Amino acid sequence: MIEFKQVSKHFPPSVSALSDVSFSIARGELVFLAGPSGAGKSTILKMIAAMERPSSGQVLVNGQNIAGLKSASLPYFRRNLGLILQDHALLLDRSVLANVMLPLMISGATTKDALIRANAALDRMDLADKADSFPLALSGGEQQRVAIARAIVNRPQVILADEPTAYLDRDNAKKVMDALRAFQAAGVTCIVSSHDEEFLGKAERVIYLNQGKQSQSWQSAV
Ligand code: ADP
Ligand code: ADP
C-alpha cells in the first residue's frame, strides 16, 4: 500500500535528508520509524502525505506516484490519511469538540453527522467528558489524544504519527500507543516515528534510520 523505491531527498544547499531509502508497507501494518533526531523520519511521513516530494526515486501510496499528484487533488488524496504531525496544533479558540468536528465540516459532512462522529471519536480516545473544554484547559496527554481523535474522525485508511508520545508520561504514552494498536487491529495502516525504546522493543516492525540512511538496528542508528 505504501512503497518507497530508492528515495532520496536533498534540501538545498547541502542537506541530504534521505539517501536511497526503499521499503514497502502492506495494508494493516503498524510500522515504526526509529532513529536519532535529524535521521529523516519526519521527511518520510511528509512524503507519504505528499507534503514533500522526493528528489529522486518514487513514493507510491495505493499504487499512486505522489510526484504525479496535482495540487488540486491533494485535499482529496489526504482525506484517506490521518495526520498526527508535530506542528499540527489544535485551534485554541475552539472547543475540543469543534476541533474534532473540523475535518468533517471541511469534507462536507452535515453538522448533525459531524457531531455524532466527533463525539464517537472523542469517546474512543476516552475524552467524552472534555468535549466542551478548550484545548489549553487540558493536559499535554489529553491534547495529544484530541489531536488523534481529530486525525481519525474521517476514518482514514492510513494514520501517520510523528513522535506521538514525545513529552507524554508513561500512562498517557501507553494510552496513545494502545489507541494506535486498536486502529491497526481494525485494519488501518499505521506509520509511527518514535524514540520510545519501550514501544520499539515490542514492535513487530521497525525501520531504522541514521542520517537519512536505512540501518539494521537501533544500535547502528544511535
Ligand atoms: P527526524 O524527523 O528524524 O528528526 P527530519 O526528517 O525532520 O528528521 O530531518 C532530516 C534532515 O533534513 C535534517 O537534517 C533536517 O534538518 C533536514 N530538513 C528537514 N526539512 C527540511 C527543510 N524543509 N529544509 C531544509 N532541511 C530540512
Ligand atoms: P462509530 O462506528 O459510531 O463511529 P466506533 O466506536 O466504531 O463508533 O468508532 C469511534 C471513532 O473511532 C469513529 O468515529 C472513528 O473516528 C474512529 N474509528 C473507528 N474505527 C476506525 C477505523 N477502522 N478507521 C479509522 N477510524 C476509526
Side-chain angles (χ1 to χ4, degrees), residues 19-218:
S19 307
D20 201 22
V21 169
S22 298
F23 57 80
S24 102
I25 296 175
R27 184 179 303 277
E29 269 195 277
L30 166 59
V31 178
F32 287 89
L33 301 175
S37 180
K41 304 180 296 296
S42 307
T43 302
I44 287 181
L45 294 172
K46 287 180 181 166
M47 277 188 186
I48 298 169
M51 296 161 75
E52 296 283 3
R53 314 255 160 158
S55 307
S56 63
Q58 292 188 335
V59 176
L60 305 174
V61 179
N62 268 333
Q64 193 166 26
N65 187 337
I66 61 145
L69 288 171
K70 302 254 187 310
S71 50
S73 60
L74 287 178
Y76 183 77
F77 170 79
R78 291 194 186 123
R79 212 163 278 181
N80 281 322
L81 306 176
L83 302 180
I84 306 162
L85 301 182
Q86 303 228 295
D87 47 6
H88 269 226
L90 301 171
L91 301 177
L92 302 182
D93 60 343
R94 302 194 196 192
S95 71
V96 162
L97 181 63
N99 268 279
V100 178
M101 286 172 72
L102 200 62
L104 297 168
M105 301 308 289
I106 290 171
S107 59
T110 63
T111 305
K112 184 171 169 241
D113 271 356
L115 268 171
I116 292 171
R117 291 173 58 191
N119 276 309
L122 285 171
D123 198 30
R124 187 164 184 124
M125 295 312 299
D126 204 13
L127 286 170
D129 56 335
K130 302 289 181 188
D132 297 325
S133 302
F134 282 76
L136 289 180
L138 271 51
S139 71
E142 288 165 343
Q143 290 182 23
Q144 184 64 301
R145 276 147 54 210
V146 175
I148 296 177
R150 184 181 57 179
I152 53 100
V153 74
N154 266 327
R155 292 186 169 272
Q157 295 172 2
V158 179
I159 292 174
L160 305 175
D162 199 359
E163 302 272 2
T165 62
Y167 315 115
L168 300 186
D169 59 35
R170 295 317 303 169
D171 198 36
N172 273 300
K174 188 170 177 311
K175 280 187 184 174
V176 165
M177 275 304 161
D178 286 349
L180 291 170
R181 291 216 172 84
F183 291 123
Q184 183 215 0
V188 181
T189 309
C190 300
I191 305 163
V192 183
S193 76
S194 182
H195 274 107
D196 193 313
E197 297 197 38
E198 185 184 330
F199 296 125
L200 293 172
K202 289 189 221 145
E204 264 172 53
R205 182 169 176 204
V206 184
I207 294 172
Y208 293 95
L209 293 159
N210 190 17
Q211 297 183 348
K213 297 188 179 71
Q214 275 166 289
S215 55
Q216 292 311 307
S217 69
W218 180 253

